[in-house]
Amino acid sequence: RIDNSKGDLSPYLLFRLNGTERTSKTGNQLGHDVLFNNEVISFDLPQPKETELIIEVCDDDSNESVGRATFSIADVLTSGAGKSFAETLQVIKPGDTSTNSVVNLKFAFVEAKVGVVKLRLDGAESAMTDDDDTTKDSYTLISTPDGQSKRVSSSDYGNNALGFWMDPTNWFSDFSIQTHRGGDCIGCGKLSLLDCLKGKEIKNDTSHVPMGIDGVGRVRGREVPVVVVNHWFLEAGAVTVRPVRASDLRDVSIGSTGLANPRVVVKSHGKTHSTVTMTNAAVDVGSNSYQWDDDIRLSVVDEYALTIECSEVDEVSGDQEPIGSAELSLLPLFKNGRLDTSVDLKHVTELGESLEGGRVNLVLTFEAPRGAAFPRDQPTMTSYTLGLSDTIMPIKKNMDMDEDDDTFTEDAIEKAFTMFDLDKNGYIGVAELKHILIMMGEHVSDEEVDMMISMLDLNGDGQVSFKEFKAMAESPDPAEEDFLLGGIPAHTSESIALQQRNEQADKKREVFTRCVQTCRMEKEDVYGMLKMVKDKHSSSRSLSHESFYVGYEDICEMMPAASLLSRSDCRTIFDLLRGGEETIDSRDLITTFTNFVAGFGLEERCKLAFDMYDVDHSGYLSIDEVEEMMMSTNLTTRDLIKKRAENFMLCADTDRSGGITIDEFIVAAEKLPNLLYPPQSKKR
């Protein structure tokens, strides 16, 4: 209520607080009263230096003050977030000691935080649509001044919630809510972002947002609808990344060390927010090692992994030359609050070649809102509450599961398979499985991952098909031996063939184990077999693949301590390896024994096998030679061996030359040990 007896004022309000000014819009005169339409004036007070708020009533025409009121906001700040106070303040004109003019204000303190505001539109009055078609081309568009924009169809009201990132850049902004139908905007309204900070994850708030067009109160003769918005706030946690030291960094473009300005780049990718932050240049401490002295701090809500990159930066042009990158799971950090780890950097060239980029040691710390479990808003992932490392938030039950018996539908199984099948080739490989497990916070070795693959790999091709994955998901107990049939109906030719191969593998395992024990075989005996074969062809200029084929009598001569081994056992070994032929490839015999004789490590077995199958001494093995080698180590069909050989070559032949060197062969064998040399102990 402003004294405007002369009727010549166009008043607005000027607010001063903590060195900052804010002005209202010009009020609407209604008799002796001036209406400001509940306009909201906001001040950011990170560190308040003063608590006196000055309110000036000014004339819009002359910009002169016609009265002043003051108010201490100390009680508002100390009362706690979310509470509000209504005050009526006297407006004193300059030189006066009393007044009839007053201003009615409502004060509230909102603790502004960083995080994600979730909005769910729960309904709108029917005025938003026509009578003849209530859903035709209707949708609502919600946007923020900083460029975030999302839309929801009217048919999806009450379903999925929309997420918007909130930080100091948009705290004092409004959500713009527009309803559209048939390409036309039929209503618009605003919702303060600060108002949305009141709702919590377990206690939502509801706002009713009036919709209008340029202040018009009716749309086509009807009352403007009110959109009902349910909203809650997910406060962010803070991750601090400190790159401590890097070693063996290489300029992958030229393959050299000795970098000048390496920097670490940390990237986060969330549903509503992504960040890219770079450290300062590292300090070279010698021996191709580097150190940093700065931290990277980032806010996370639903993020569960970071990308750690290292780049050489040109200080003049700012150009970046990538050194390598790695993925780092945040789940162990969410669980424990601190993570000391190292990441091995890899750089993938345009040709798909993976190059070593070095290693970076990191220390990560995590601060979380009290009682909040991270990652947030990830219903299919395990979430951890900081300080309660033994307590996890349970994963919500998938609605694609049968409510009565907890079995999965085929659609649910297919969705799960698709999540693992990163390259969408219809198979889950070792690299894909390991990547997903790391993202879930599981630190597993290559051997463990390969063992997991082999447990599901029913046909032995070194990877998991959807059929095999489905058999595991539908099996009441995958540990049972019946699971090895993978859901194949009993007594079919396929199941019978699989059973026969398993029985033959068991027999081969039993015979070779007994032979090694009876003859007390050692590594020298295995090398002696190879020497005997080569000596028989010493007069030839070079060996061929056919040179290694031997008959039954040759087997009897090759076996050490033959007097301790019956000819019947020699015949059994010969029959197991010959496959109906009159001769066997002695390399099959020698390679098989390397799996049973003690002392053979993986690298030594690889070198021995490479020497035997590289008969032309070219220094390379072709896919055909790898396939022949696998025939001696894998007891399965030729078609499956061919598939395994192809998978092995994809991993080993990094330069895509069509052949693999001994070094490539050993590296691939270390990554896929069960593919080349399946375990000889019987599965239970």
Side-chain angles (χ1 to χ4, degrees):
R1 177 183 293 271
I2 304 297
D3 182 6
N4 189 19
S5 56
K6 296 182 181 181
D8 57 352
L9 292 180
S10 298
Y12 68 89
L13 300 180
L14 171 65
F15 299 85
R16 292 192 181 97
L17 176 63
N18 212 36
T20 303
E21 292 187 355
R22 298 278 191 271
T23 58
S24 73
K25 297 178 181 178
T26 302
N28 299 316
Q29 190 79 37
L30 184 64
H32 290 290
D33 294 336
V34 179
L35 304 181
F36 290 96
N37 298 319
N38 295 317
E39 183 180 354
V40 176
I41 304 295
S42 301
F43 287 89
D44 185 13
L45 301 174
Q47 293 179 334
K49 298 179 181 178
E50 58 186 52
T51 59
E52 185 181 53
L53 173 66
I54 299 174
I55 305 102
E56 300 267 7
V57 179
C58 301
D59 180 21
D60 189 36
D61 295 328
S62 64
N63 286 327
E64 293 182 356
S65 173
V66 297
R68 169 185 288 198
T70 60
F71 178 75
S72 175
I73 64 169
D75 291 341
V76 179
L77 296 177
T78 58
S79 63
K83 294 184 179 181
S84 59
F85 299 83
E87 296 286 342
T88 299
L89 307 178
Q90 289 187 330
V91 178
I92 307 294
K93 291 184 178 181
D96 291 348
T97 57
S98 63
T99 181
N100 292 324
S101 299
V102 296
V103 58
N104 296 319
L105 299 172
K106 188 175 183 179
F107 297 90
F109 171 56
V110 178
E111 186 179 1
K113 299 178 180 179
V114 174
V116 173
V117 170
K118 302 287 287 189
L119 302 181
R120 185 180 68 236
L121 273 63
D122 283 348
E125 296 178 2
S126 59
M128 192 180 73
T129 56
D130 282 334
D131 293 334
D132 55 345
D133 191 345
T134 60
T135 60
K136 180 180 179 181
D137 299 328
S138 313
Y139 66 91
T140 297
L141 181 67
I142 305 177
S143 58
T144 62
D146 59 352
Q148 301 180 72
S149 180
K150 297 181 181 180
R151 58 185 287 175
V152 57
S153 170
S154 59
S155 61
D156 288 333
Y157 275 17
N159 295 326
N160 298 330
L162 307 176
F164 294 85
W165 184 257
M166 193 170 188
D167 61 20
T169 63
N170 60 14
W171 273 339
F172 302 110
S173 304
D174 293 324
F175 285 112
S176 172
I177 303 176
Q178 298 180 349
T179 54
H180 293 256
R181 190 196 54 213
D184 297 325
C185 177
I186 62 172
C188 57
K190 293 184 180 298
L191 174 64
S192 169
L193 268 72
L194 286 177
D195 287 345
C196 298
L197 284 176
K198 301 173 185 177
K200 303 298 181 183
E201 189 169 6
I202 59 175
K203 184 180 179 181
N204 306 343
D205 274 357
T206 300
S207 296
H208 295 76
V209 182
M211 309 295 287
I213 300 180
D214 296 330
V216 178
R218 291 177 177 271
V219 178
R220 298 180 183 177
R222 303 177 186 177
E223 293 295 330
V224 173
V226 172
V227 171
V228 181
V229 183
N230 193 264
H231 50 83
W232 60 98
F233 179 63
L234 305 179
E235 185 179 350
V239 173
T240 301
V241 182
R242 168 168 287 188
V244 178
R245 192 181 184 94
S247 57
D248 300 324
L249 297 183
R250 303 180 63 83
D251 186 339
V252 295
S253 62
I254 58 177
S256 67
T257 59
L259 305 175
N261 298 294
R263 299 171 184 252
V264 171
V265 180
V266 179
K267 297 181 179 180
S268 66
H269 305 281
K271 296 180 181 179
T272 62
H273 180 242
S274 297
T275 61
V276 179
T277 312
M278 180 185 294
T279 66
N280 295 321
V283 176
D284 189 342
V285 295
S287 300
N288 194 26
S289 294
Y290 303 86
Q291 289 182 347
W292 290 268
D293 59 358
D294 52 342
D295 297 340
I296 291 177
R297 188 176 175 88
L298 55 143
S299 300
V300 296
V301 174
D302 50 60
E303 296 87 343
Y304 55 88
L306 298 177
T307 300
I308 308 296
E309 296 182 352
C310 197
S311 299
E312 172 80 339
V313 179
D314 188 312
E315 295 296 328
V316 177
S317 66
D319 294 339
Q320 298 183 28
E321 187 68 36
I323 297 172
S325 64
E327 295 294 313
L328 177 65
S329 172
L330 290 176
L331 298 189
L333 178 65
F334 293 154
K335 183 176 181 180
N336 302 306
R338 181 183 174 92
L339 180 63
D340 295 89
T341 187
S342 62
V343 293
D344 293 321
L345 304 175
K346 302 286 186 181
H347 176 71
V348 180
T349 67
E350 295 179 354
L351 299 177
E353 183 180 6
S354 180
L355 303 177
E356 301 289 339
R359 171 173 292 187
V360 177
N361 297 92
L362 306 164
V363 175
L364 293 88
T365 56
F366 180 57
E367 303 168 29
R370 184 179 179 84
F374 283 79
R376 313 187 78 169
D377 199 28
Q378 293 285 4
T380 61
M381 296 186 68
T382 300
S383 297
Y384 298 91
T385 303
L386 188 61
L388 301 175
S389 59
D390 294 332
T391 303
I392 62 176
M393 295 294 291
I395 298 175
K396 295 181 180 179
K397 184 175 180 180
N398 192 317
M399 296 309 295
D400 288 332
M401 295 174 65
D402 189 288
E403 295 292 340
D404 295 325
D405 60 9
D406 282 355
T407 57
F408 293 97
T409 65
E410 182 160 345
D411 183 57
I413 297 172
E414 186 171 353
K415 288 180 181 178
F417 181 84
T418 302
M419 183 184 75
F420 282 88
D421 181 19
L422 300 178
D423 60 5
K424 309 307 177 190
N425 68 343
Y427 294 90
I428 300 173
V430 170
E432 292 168 320
L433 178 58
K434 184 172 184 181
H435 176 80
I436 294 294
L437 290 174
I438 290 176
M439 291 299 97
M440 294 172 64
E442 299 293 337
H443 297 278
V444 293
S445 65
D446 290 337
E447 291 75 14
E448 290 171 321
V449 177
D450 208 51
M451 183 67 73
M452 295 177 196
I453 291 289
S454 67
M455 291 171 66
L456 301 182
D457 180 20
L458 304 177
N459 64 6
D461 64 354
Q463 54 190 354
V464 179
S465 66
F466 175 71
K467 179 180 178 181
E468 294 164 335
F469 187 83
K470 183 171 180 285
M472 178 274 296
E474 293 180 339
S475 173
D477 185 4
E480 293 294 327
E481 291 188 359
D482 288 345
F483 172 67
L484 294 176
L485 295 179
I488 302 172
H491 307 303
T492 65
S493 58
E494 188 176 357
S495 66
I496 293 174
L498 178 59
Q499 185 174 356
Q500 289 176 343
R501 288 199 299 271
N502 289 336
E503 291 175 352
Q504 190 175 7
D506 289 341
K507 186 175 182 180
K508 181 179 180 182
R509 190 178 300 110
E510 177 188 349
V511 170
F512 275 85
T513 300
R514 185 174 68 247
C515 178
V516 170
Q517 293 174 347
T518 301
C519 298
R520 299 175 183 176
M521 290 183 64
E522 298 179 350
K523 290 167 55 175
E524 290 73 13
D525 297 317
V526 178
Y527 283 107
M529 293 180 183
L530 178 59
K531 183 177 183 303
M532 186 179 297
V533 174
K534 290 183 175 181
D535 287 346
K536 285 190 174 184
H537 300 277
S538 58
S539 59
S540 302
R541 287 189 174 182
S542 62
L543 291 174
S544 64
H545 291 294
E546 290 72 19
S547 303
F548 287 92
Y549 283 86
V550 297
Y552 164 66
E553 294 296 336
D554 297 316
I555 294 291
C556 295
E557 294 179 13
M558 292 172 63
M559 295 301 300
S563 59
L564 299 177
L565 191 69
S566 68
R567 293 180 66 86
S568 175
D569 285 332
C570 292
R571 170 59 68 178
T572 301
I573 292 174
F574 181 74
D575 290 339
L576 281 172
L577 299 178
R578 71 191 182 102
E581 302 294 331
E582 294 300 321
T583 58
I584 68 168
D585 189 336
S586 61
R587 294 173 297 187
D588 292 357
L589 178 69
I590 296 170
T591 303
T592 302
F593 272 121
T594 64
N595 288 329
F596 290 92
V597 174
F600 276 101
L602 179 61
E603 182 173 343
E604 186 173 6
R605 278 187 286 172
C606 289
K607 290 181 177 180
L608 177 59
F610 194 95
D611 177 61
M612 290 191 296
Y613 285 89
D614 181 26
V615 293
D616 58 358
H617 300 290
S618 64
Y620 291 88
L621 289 182
S622 66
I623 187 172
D624 293 335
E625 291 169 328
V626 171
E627 187 177 325
E628 290 300 323
M629 183 190 305
M630 285 187 170
M631 285 298 296
S632 66
T633 60
N634 294 259
L635 188 60
T636 185
T637 64
R638 170 67 74 170
D639 289 340
L640 292 180
I641 290 295
K642 184 177 181 65
K643 183 67 176 177
R644 283 193 169 192
E646 291 173 352
N647 293 337
F648 187 84
M649 289 294 288
L650 283 174
C651 177
D653 187 15
T654 56
D655 58 3
R656 300 297 182 261
S657 63
I660 56 176
T661 65
I662 180 60
D663 292 333
E664 292 174 324
F665 182 67
I666 293 174
V667 169
E670 290 174 344
K671 291 181 178 179
L672 306 170
N674 289 351
L675 190 62
L676 189 62
Y677 295 105
Q680 299 302 318
S681 58
K682 185 177 180 180
K683 292 180 182 179
R684 293 294 182 187

